[in-house]
Amino acid sequence: EFDFPVFVMNNPKRKDRKAHMKTFLASLGFVNVSFPESDSSDSLNISRLVETGWVGKDAVKTITEDHHKGPGAVIPHIANAVAHIRAVHACVEGSYTHCLVVEDDLMFTTSPRGANRQIMRSLSELP
């Protein structure tokens, strides 16, 4: 059983993925799972985030110029990155030695028991 916090980045519109992740992570032994709310795209001010140093101008430029993403992808990508940063910040503020931040489409290519063993082995190798 893993009691350190797990933050799952989940689009609130994807209730199916949230339900799946609750079941999936429980099957792996995670008991402290949360789904933090991310900023809505409407509430993000990219210019302000750049001014305050939360987001680099180069990041905005790279996303905007990527032909697979384009200008419409800047706000959703930045909102997701900010959510990840806030999750890590919550871990640090909570003085946890470990935490896990994942997307709602996480998958393992092994059984839950095998994945649990892999996670345990990886944790034992951490300093």
Side-chain angles (χ1 to χ4, degrees):
E1 190 170 283
F2 306 108
D3 62 353
F4 56 84
V6 178
F7 300 92
V8 181
M9 301 300 124
N10 173 251
N11 180 333
K13 295 177 185 171
R14 294 302 307 262
K15 291 179 179 21
D16 58 325
R17 286 188 177 185
K18 184 175 183 176
H20 166 73
M21 288 303 291
K22 283 181 178 180
T23 303
F24 178 64
L25 291 169
S27 75
L28 296 174
F30 291 101
V31 297
N32 186 3
V33 178
S34 65
F35 295 80
E37 290 188 28
S38 61
D39 291 318
S40 72
S41 296
D42 299 336
S43 69
L44 281 181
N45 181 327
I46 300 299
S47 298
R48 181 76 183 127
L49 290 172
V50 170
E51 282 174 24
T52 58
W54 270 79
V55 176
K57 288 180 187 177
D58 290 340
V60 174
K61 181 179 178 191
T62 299
I63 295 168
T64 302
E65 293 176 352
D66 185 320
H67 70 278
H68 292 293
K69 296 179 180 86
V74 171
I75 291 177
H77 276 74
I78 300 298
N80 191 35
V82 168
H84 278 256
I85 292 166
R86 286 188 176 144
V88 172
H89 183 75
C91 253
V92 171
E93 288 293 310
S95 299
Y96 293 101
T97 57
H98 299 87
C99 76
L100 180 62
V101 181
V102 298
E103 295 289 330
D104 62 5
D105 56 356
L106 174 70
M107 294 176 21
F108 280 93
T109 57
T110 185
S111 69
R113 175 176 238 140
N116 184 286
R117 281 195 301 268
Q118 287 176 339
I119 295 164
M120 292 290 285
R121 186 172 39 250
S122 295
L123 288 172
S124 72
E125 294 171 2
L126 291 174

